[in-house]
Amino acid sequence: MSDTATDPRTIGTATAAPVLDIVIPVYNEEKDLAGCVRRLSAHLAEGFPFPARITIADNASTDATLAIAHALAAEYPGVRVLHLTAKGRGRALRTAWLDSDAEVLAYMDVDLSTDLNGLLPLVAPLISGHSDLAVGTRLSPRARVVRGPKREFISRGYNLILKAALRARFSDAQCGFKAIRADIARQLLPLVQDGEWFFDTELLVLSEHAGLRVHEVPVDWIDDPDSRVDIIDTARKDLRGIWRLARAMTTGALPLNELRRAIGREPLVDGVPRGMVGQVVRFAIVGAVSTVAYTALYLLWQPVVGPQLANFAALLITAIGNTAANRAFTFGVRGSARALAHHFQGLLIFGFGLLVTSGALFALHRWAPGVPVQWQLLSLVSANLVATLLRFVGLRWVFREGSIARR
């Protein structure tokens, strides 16, 4: 990393490692910094139950911000300063968090738009070990927020895009009020590429897809009318970040399985597969679509080529599509690696389905010659249901190495 940081142990008089390290990333904040630190220090001194430190992460300020930060560190024992030579909030947070010796790492914006009464609910689940990451949310029905309609629309629109493009489940990506366990941060931060405003979003998306437990805290939040965020430039970079992250997830470029193993997100009980319920639901959705497609193809071809050939063709086409859909949608396997092997194994499972359905047709025509096509179709669908259980078990085996379980 090209950024430089002042050794935090040389600034301030506190030497013991705190439980909580609160980072305040700043760039040219000479107006607000002192008030922020004094208010936060007073809050921590008024009965906050855990030892805490404030880290001012100055990223390339050109005004008096750094000098004010040093003065505050000299005045308050629990304040340290990091100075980076390059801009970027994400860059400042990554440097400060990886440099910290605290158990739990947090950050908040210098304007303190979020009510500090939310700090303890934010970090308590992390200190207890129950959760891995905690985020403030302004979009919960229980949050109390004061801001203009323009920023409200942008925020909600952005989070809807995240849900559609990245399957995000968290409600608010950009609230400047977050915390993470230090051991989790050391595993996760090397995978976060963005060093600016998209850092928060990328961190949260990776956390969810790695199976981390994300705790959301509804907050009281008042918009800062003096915000210097360039909304258009930030939106452009965020959309570019969403595209980069979606592509990496689709191609399998992110080592999420390795991360899961590193942080211990394996099955709680041997023999109880991870993510089974979600996989069953997604498998059923794919199966329903496949059944509709199979029915349409069989009804189209049966009058032309006869029952057995129509069954074979319809089953083959839908089996190929079913394997591809389950590979991506049900089991979360991305990229072209082993795709041909997966489809070949899927065709072996298709062979069992063909055997069952062809046998059902043979038996039906033997015992009831001239049966209407509706009864043929009912017999085939019933036979396919018998084969469905084997298909699910078989596909779990086929995709056992690359499967990304979802909560």
Side-chain angles (χ1 to χ4, degrees):
M1 184 177 294
S2 62
D3 307 319
T4 59
T6 305
D7 184 350
R9 287 163 288 282
T10 66
I11 296 178
T13 59
T15 57
V19 172
L20 174 64
D21 195 347
I22 305 168
V23 178
I24 303 172
V26 291
Y27 171 73
N28 289 349
E29 296 288 354
E30 61 180 5
K31 177 182 176 182
D32 295 329
L33 179 58
C36 166
V37 171
R38 296 185 194 282
R39 181 179 161 194
L40 179 56
S41 296
H43 178 80
L44 296 174
E46 293 172 357
F48 192 78
F50 304 106
R53 177 173 61 208
I54 300 171
T55 295
I56 303 170
D58 174 59
N59 46 320
S61 291
T62 58
D63 62 1
T65 296
L66 183 58
I68 294 172
H70 281 297
L72 290 166
E75 180 180 351
Y76 291 95
V79 175
R80 70 167 181 163
V81 178
L82 292 176
H83 175 62
L84 289 81
T85 58
K87 292 174 58 178
R89 182 179 68 168
R91 182 176 292 107
L93 289 174
R94 180 188 292 111
T95 302
W97 280 355
L98 290 178
D99 182 76
S100 180
D101 55 357
E103 298 175 18
V104 173
L105 313 167
Y107 95 87
M108 59 184 63
D109 291 335
V110 69
D111 58 18
L112 295 185
S113 294
T114 305
D115 190 330
L116 291 177
N117 288 324
L119 180 59
L120 183 57
L122 183 80
V123 302
L126 309 186
I127 294 173
S128 70
H130 177 270
S131 300
D132 305 302
L133 191 76
V135 299
T137 173
R138 301 160 296 182
L139 302 182
S140 166
R142 293 174 292 157
R144 296 190 298 175
V145 176
V146 178
R147 64 175 167 181
K150 177 181 177 181
R151 293 181 70 92
E152 181 78 9
F153 174 80
I154 291 173
S155 181
R156 291 188 180 275
Y158 178 69
N159 283 279
L160 285 175
I161 292 173
L162 294 179
K163 292 178 186 299
L166 300 175
R167 303 190 303 277
R169 294 182 177 86
F170 50 84
S171 62
D172 189 354
Q174 295 177 312
C175 181
F177 197 64
K178 294 182 175 68
I180 187 171
R181 282 171 39 200
D183 58 329
I184 296 297
R186 285 189 287 271
Q187 297 285 348
L188 193 61
L189 289 178
L191 300 180
V192 181
Q193 296 184 23
D194 192 80
E196 298 184 31
W197 293 98
F198 190 69
F199 173 90
D200 294 49
T201 299
E202 189 166 359
L203 181 72
L204 284 171
V205 170
L206 292 180
S207 297
E208 284 196 339
H209 284 270
L212 295 176
R213 186 170 290 174
V214 179
H215 174 66
E216 289 196 328
V217 178
V219 296
D220 296 344
W221 192 87
I222 300 177
D223 189 20
D224 177 17
D226 191 36
S227 174
R228 299 188 182 94
V229 177
D230 186 332
I231 294 179
I232 295 178
D233 183 63
T234 301
R236 177 180 59 82
K237 292 179 178 178
D238 283 346
L239 291 174
R240 189 169 61 190
I242 292 171
W243 169 252
R244 171 179 57 79
L245 198 53
R247 183 176 57 187
M249 292 168 58
T250 301
T251 60
L254 288 171
L256 293 177
N257 288 323
E258 292 80 354
L259 178 61
R260 277 183 171 274
R261 286 190 287 269
I263 61 181
R265 289 305 182 269
E266 297 301 320
L268 292 175
V269 180
D270 290 340
V272 179
R274 190 179 57 205
M276 172 69 84
V277 174
Q279 288 180 353
V280 169
V281 172
R282 292 188 293 275
F283 180 82
I285 294 173
V286 173
V289 174
S290 297
T291 300
V292 171
Y294 170 85
T295 301
L297 291 174
Y298 182 82
L299 292 175
L300 177 66
W301 291 333
Q302 189 270 349
V304 180
V305 298
Q308 290 288 4
L309 191 56
N311 173 58
F312 174 81
L315 196 62
L316 177 62
I317 291 175
T318 53
I320 294 173
N322 184 284
T323 298
N326 277 309
R327 184 177 189 268
F329 180 59
T330 302
F331 300 102
V333 180
R334 312 297 185 190
S336 59
R338 303 195 69 241
L340 289 178
H342 290 158
H343 278 283
F344 176 75
Q345 292 165 329
L347 287 176
L348 294 180
I349 300 172
F350 149 79
F352 177 79
L354 178 63
L355 179 65
V356 172
T357 54
S358 297
L361 273 178
F362 177 80
L364 182 66
H365 284 287
R366 181 176 179 84
W367 297 106
V371 68
V373 68
Q374 294 88 343
W375 286 100
Q376 296 176 24
L377 196 57
L378 178 62
S379 174
L380 289 171
V381 171
S382 300
N384 263 317
L385 289 177
V386 175
T388 295
L389 178 60
L390 176 68
R391 168 170 284 274
F392 180 69
V393 174
L395 288 179
R396 274 193 66 90
W397 178 83
V398 168
F399 301 123
R400 65 195 182 281
E401 295 296 332
S403 177
I404 299 175
R406 301 179 178 92
R407 290 180 298 139

